[in-house]
Each structure stands twice: as C-alpha cells, then as structure tokens.
Amino acid sequence: MSKPPVLRAENITKRYGKKVVLNNASLSICERELKILIGPSGSGKSTFLQCINFLVTPDRGRVWLDGREILRTHKRDLNAYRQKVGMIFQDFNLFDHLTALANVEIGLTRVRKMGKEEACEKAMQELDKVGLRDHIAKYPAQLSGGQKQRVSIARALAMDPEVMLLDEPTSALDPELITEVLAVIKDLRANGMTMIMSTHQLNFASEVADEIIFLEDGIIVEVGPPDKILYEPECERTIQFCSKMRELYGNSR
Amino acid sequence: MGEMDFIQNEVLPSLFEGLGTSILLIIPSAVFGLVIGVAIGVFRVFGNPLTEKLASTYVAIFRGFPLVVQLFIWYFGLPHLGIYFSPYTASIIGFSLCSGAYHSEYVRGALLSIKRGQLLAAQALGFTRTGTIVSVILPQALRRALPGCGNELIYLIKYSSLAYMITCIELTGKGKIIASETFKFTEIFMIIGIFYLVMTTIAGRLLQYVEFRLEIPGFEHYGA
Ligand SMILES: Nc1ncnc2c1ncn2[C@@H]1O[C@H](COP(=O)(O)OP(=O)(O)O)[C@@H](O)[C@H]1O
Ligand SMILES: [Mg+2]
C-alpha cells in the first residue's frame, strides 16, 4: 500500500436522536479500487455513503479527497468536491421532468457551465456507453428500472468523477434487470473507475471487489478481501450474515 | 330609441371601457401575484427559519384580512402615513399581494410533494442550493401547482371587481354607474356577468393549454 488513497473518510459518526446510526466508521480507497459495503438492512450503509459526500451531515468525522480535507462549511469547495464524487442511489433519483438526455446534460450545463452543444455531445457519449443510445428522448416514467439506473450512472459519469459511490444500485430492480446494471458496473471497474458500493449481491462482490467491509449496527465489524469475508470470516456476526444472504440470494460457489 | 339600440350605443361602449380597465388590472396582478406566490412558497419550504417565519406571517395576514379591507388600507389608510397610491396602483398592489398569498399555498404544497431524492441527486452532482431549487425542484413543483394556481387566477378575474370600491372604475364599477343612471339593473349586470364568464372561460382555456404544453410523462393530471 504505497499509493496514497484518493478518498479517505475517518471516524464518521452519525446519530439520529439518541440512536447512533454510524459509529466511528472509517475507510480509504485508492485509485482503481472497488470496495464493497455489505451489512443487514438498517446497518448504516446508506448513511455512511451519504456522509462521505455530505448529503447527510455527520456529527463527527473528516473526509479527504486527493489529500485535501473537505470542509462542509465551504460551500464552493463542497460543491466542487461533490462533482468529483459521483453518487448512484438505490431508487435512481432521476430528474423526473427531464428526458434521459437532459438528465445527463443538466449537470454539465448548470454545474460545469459547459456549452449546450458540447454538453449534448458528451451526454450522448455517456448514454451510449451504458447502452441507451436509443432511449435518450424518453422520460424517466417511460424507462424500465434497469434503464433508469443506467441513465443515473451516465449522469454521474458525465461529471468525470474521480470516485463513485453506489448505494445498493440494484436493490430496487427486478431480478432480470439486475444483470444489465451489474454489467455496466463491471465495465466501469474494467476501465479503472474507483468505486465504493453497497450491495446485497455477494456473488458480484466476490467476483469484483478488492475489499469487503461488513457493517452492522453502524459499526464496521470486519474488513478484508472477498475470499476472507465471504468464506472464512472471523466474526460470528459476519458468518451469520453471509450464510443468511446465501440462503436468500443463492450460493456463489 | 329602441331598447337594443340604447344598449348597443350607450351601455356597451361604456362597459367595454370598463372591461379594458379590468384587463389592465388583472394581467399585472396575475403576473406579480404569481411571482410573489412562487417566492413566498420557496421561502416557506426552503428558507431559513427567519424567512420562513416572515413568509408564513405574510400569508396569514393577506389570507386573513378581507380583500376589501386590504384595498381600503392601501388606498385610504396609507395616505395617513404620507403614502399615496392612485386607485389603479392601490388595486394592483392589493390584488397582487392577496393573490400571491394564495398562490404560495399551492406552490408550497407542490414543493413539499417533490421527493427528497430529487434534491439529493442534484446536490450530489454539485448543484448549489439555489441551483437545485431553480433547475430541479421548481420545474417539477410548478407543474403540480398549476391547477391550483389556475384556480386562483380565475378567482382574481372575479375579485378584480372590488377595485371600484376604491374608485378604480373597472367593469363592475362602470356597470354600477350606468345602472343607477338608467335603472336597467338586470340587463346591465347580466351583460357584466357574461363578460366575466367570457374572461374566466378564456383564462380556463389558456391554462388548459399551458398544462397541456408542459405535460410530461409522469406528471399528467389524469381526468382533469
Ligand atoms: N433521516 C433519518 N432519521 C432517523 N433515522 C434514520 C434516518 N435515516 C436513516 N435512519 C436510521 O438509520 C439507520 C441506518 O439506516 P441506513 O443508513 O439507511 O441503513 P442501510 O442503508 O444499511 O439499510 C436505520 O436504523 C434507519 O432507520
Ligand atoms: Mg440503504
């Protein structure tokens, strides 16, 4: 581990009322790595990811990108940082009033202040990459879940992010649509995108992850390479969770 | 002179003049009212606690005071403080502020109906808060607010008739003057009623057209 991390989050803590939803969670990720967050529903995966780009304000904790600490209170820095950290949501969150193309363009024209023509061209390229060339004129309500998620990936990619955060990108999809989205993510991985992703797809995790982070009740219980976490975990809770997931989603080996 | 001739030669020209004044009251009030309504609605939902409080107070007052009373205050009350408005200006101020208060309620409801995910997605792309509201939230919310705001515009057309109470002689005011001179109350007020009906019908059609033009899959108003 000689390379410095691209993104580093340290001791992130978040409470809702009295409940500690995230307790001193830390992670760092180097260029081209893919780290996968697993854990039961309600364990704090979404909160962790959203604290990393400050969509949720952590009560405590610090975040660095390329060695520079991000200060939430400096609005301009924060917005610049968010451009470099793409976010994919479980329920897509496409802009409902815009076509697929406009969804991808809007960040370019309004945030990056790119010219209309250039933005359109780039948006087309990004949509092409996720296999949606023929659907650019459709509105979110006219797209399938898998297509929506691919548009949202194109929208994030258009900003040329250094890191992507993916929050259960396939959890809202019908089983037959999951593969098309996972294929896009594998593509990103092959092209060297740095990613932190939460998922229940353990097969996928074991195939592509550099590291798996197991989160439970807001605490990082165990961290390690997929082979260790999924097949030889040390903690009892990790063992229980993984076997339960296998029951639900099928065995990977 | 026959009845019809009298109405055609004496009454109608006068009423059309009043109608002109009415339209000159309605259009600016509608525009200002909408702008105020959107601004107040945004402050109430996305403002800081202070602007939120100010905006709510505004709405409480301007929805709570009878409109005639508001007009009296603008026209008869403020001169005591050394502020003078013409009847026309006072009417427009009164209508815009009152209409804005009602619009803001429709806008507020529509803003609240936009899912939080839309805001999160925009922020995650690096949008500023204002940019998020302007580029993502309002375009959606205004589509949803349109039926309600349209309703308020129709009301405005009708309550513009209150302007004559502060001596801005518009359609209803003109009618009242001619009617008391000629005692043809029924005929004149029927004609006036029909004028308002025509205005509200045209406005209704225009609003329908706007809704149709702005319609987007996922934002249809079924059966409306
Ligand atoms: N806005 C909120 N207010 C209160 N509690 C919340 C809020 N968001 C999340 N939580 C709670 O925080 C915990 C972690 O949630 P989340 O991060 O969404 O978990 P996961 O993504 O792993 O399912 C859950 O118990 C959830 O109920
Ligand atoms: Mg979640």
Side-chain angles (χ1 to χ4, degrees):
Chain A
M1 290 287 275
S2 55
K3 274 192 300 181
V6 182
L7 185 92
R8 188 152 67 92
E10 245 173 45
N11 304 324
I12 309 281
T13 298
K14 177 69 191 175
R15 283 186 201 84
Y16 284 115
K18 283 226 166 91
K19 190 169 181 227
V20 183
V21 172
L22 203 60
N23 194 349
N24 260 319
S26 302
L27 70 72
S28 70
I29 187 162
C30 293
E31 228 174 279
R32 308 175 84 86
E33 277 186 328
L34 168 56
K35 295 205 172 181
I36 287 189
L37 274 175
I38 61 172
S41 201
S43 58
K45 302 181 295 296
S46 299
T47 306
F48 195 14
L49 290 172
Q50 297 198 355
C51 280
I52 290 176
N53 65 356
F54 300 101
L55 289 182
V56 166
T57 309
D59 296 314
R60 215 160 63 79
R62 301 166 71 183
V63 177
W64 291 262
L65 182 75
D66 297 323
R68 261 192 75 198
E69 180 164 10
I70 310 305
L71 299 174
R72 185 177 56 75
T73 45
H74 292 196
K75 291 287 177 235
R76 193 179 297 239
D77 285 357
L78 177 62
N79 292 334
Y81 163 74
R82 282 175 174 163
Q83 288 177 50
K84 293 182 203 150
V85 180
M87 179 103 192
I88 303 301
F89 299 88
Q90 182 173 345
D91 38 12
F92 329 124
N93 293 341
L94 289 184
F95 302 130
D96 291 325
H97 64 303
L98 298 176
T99 61
L101 183 65
N103 259 281
V104 183
E105 279 174 339
I106 192 169
L108 297 172
T109 52
R110 301 284 165 86
V111 179
R112 285 178 60 177
K113 311 289 179 201
M114 197 183 267
K116 182 83 188 139
E117 241 166 72
E118 195 187 346
C120 177
E121 200 169 306
K122 182 153 174 61
M124 298 274 259
Q125 279 170 13
E126 299 298 347
L127 284 164
D128 199 25
K129 272 193 220 164
V130 296
L132 291 174
R133 173 175 280 277
D134 298 334
H135 301 277
I136 58 168
K138 290 193 182 161
Y139 285 91
Q142 299 168 315
L143 296 168
S144 75
Q147 290 169 338
K148 281 189 230 187
Q149 194 59 295
R150 287 187 281 151
V151 173
S152 98
I153 291 173
R155 177 175 70 179
L157 286 177
M159 305 299 280
D160 296 319
E162 290 180 30
V163 182
M164 296 257 280
L165 309 175
L166 302 98
D167 188 8
E168 297 194 37
T170 60
S171 292
L173 300 178
D174 292 333
E176 75 268 25
L177 301 177
I178 290 178
T179 3
E180 70 185 52
V181 171
L182 291 182
V184 170
I185 296 170
K186 272 187 196 165
D187 249 20
L188 288 181
R189 166 103 174 111
N191 290 320
M193 177 57 74
T194 310
M195 293 186 278
I196 306 170
M197 168 174 167
S198 72
T199 185
H200 290 301
Q201 302 286 324
L202 298 191
N203 296 350
F204 178 77
S206 76
E207 245 177 85
V208 300
D210 292 301
E211 187 173 87
I212 293 184
I213 298 163
F214 175 59
L215 195 65
E216 191 175 54
D217 293 334
I219 295 168
I220 293 181
V221 176
E222 200 168 347
V223 179
D227 283 344
K228 171 163 175 285
I229 300 294
L230 299 178
Y231 304 107
E232 293 153 10
E234 280 164 20
C235 301
E236 186 55 36
R237 301 165 91 180
T238 320
I239 299 170
Q240 279 169 6
F241 174 75
C242 290
S243 69
K244 190 160 150 219
M245 283 296 114
R246 271 193 210 94
E247 259 171 51
L248 287 172
Y249 294 96
N251 207 322
S252 62
R253 279 190 187 173
Chain B
M1 201 155 55
E3 182 91 338
M4 285 313 279
D5 284 344
F6 176 74
I7 287 180
Q8 199 166 356
N9 297 329
E10 307 287 321
V11 176
L12 280 183
S14 198
L15 290 185
F16 272 116
E17 200 183 306
L19 177 66
T21 308
S22 285
I23 291 172
L24 289 179
L25 282 170
I26 292 164
I27 291 178
S29 302
V31 173
F32 292 137
L34 269 172
V35 171
I36 294 170
V38 171
I40 296 291
V42 168
F43 278 128
R44 291 185 71 187
V45 178
F46 293 107
N48 60 41
L50 178 68
T51 57
E52 198 276 332
K53 191 79 203 148
L54 287 174
S56 313
T57 310
Y58 163 83
V59 174
I61 291 174
F62 285 87
R63 280 201 311 173
F65 277 39
L67 181 53
V68 184
V69 175
Q70 294 181 36
L71 292 174
F72 285 169
I73 292 173
W74 294 118
Y75 186 62
F76 297 118
L78 290 189
H80 291 288
L81 305 174
I83 302 169
Y84 296 86
F85 291 122
S86 70
Y88 177 70
T89 311
S91 304
I92 293 205
I93 293 174
F95 295 153
S96 304
L97 289 172
C98 173
S99 194
Y102 280 97
H103 280 307
S104 82
E105 277 294 291
Y106 296 114
V107 172
R108 186 173 75 98
L111 288 170
L112 291 173
S113 81
I114 305 301
K115 287 191 302 272
R116 203 175 114 75
Q118 300 285 308
L119 191 108
L120 292 179
Q123 291 186 321
L125 286 172
F127 273 87
T128 59
R129 200 169 161 76
T130 314
T132 304
I133 294 169
V134 171
S135 304
V136 174
I137 308 293
L138 275 179
Q140 299 184 33
L142 293 185
R143 282 184 167 87
R144 299 221 170 124
L146 203 55
C149 291
N151 205 27
E152 172 56 26
L153 290 174
I154 303 268
Y155 269 121
L156 167 66
I157 292 175
K158 292 182 293 172
Y159 62 63
S160 71
S161 65
L162 290 176
Y164 86 89
M165 305 280 285
I166 54 170
T167 74
C168 179
I169 305 304
E170 38 63 74
L171 181 54
T172 310
K174 272 273 194 256
K176 194 155 174 281
I177 291 169
I178 311 169
S180 48
E181 283 168 358
T182 61
F183 296 100
K184 294 188 185 305
F185 289 98
T186 316
E187 296 88 335
I188 288 171
F189 285 116
M190 277 302 285
I191 295 173
I192 291 176
I194 290 168
F195 277 16
Y196 280 105
L197 180 63
V198 170
M199 280 195 279
T200 52
T201 308
I202 293 173
R205 284 287 157 81
L206 277 175
L207 287 162
Q208 251 180 4
Y209 176 72
V210 172
E211 268 185 52
F212 169 75
R213 283 303 305 266
L214 294 179
E215 196 166 276
I216 275 177
F219 285 84
E220 301 95 339
H221 301 293
Y222 294 105

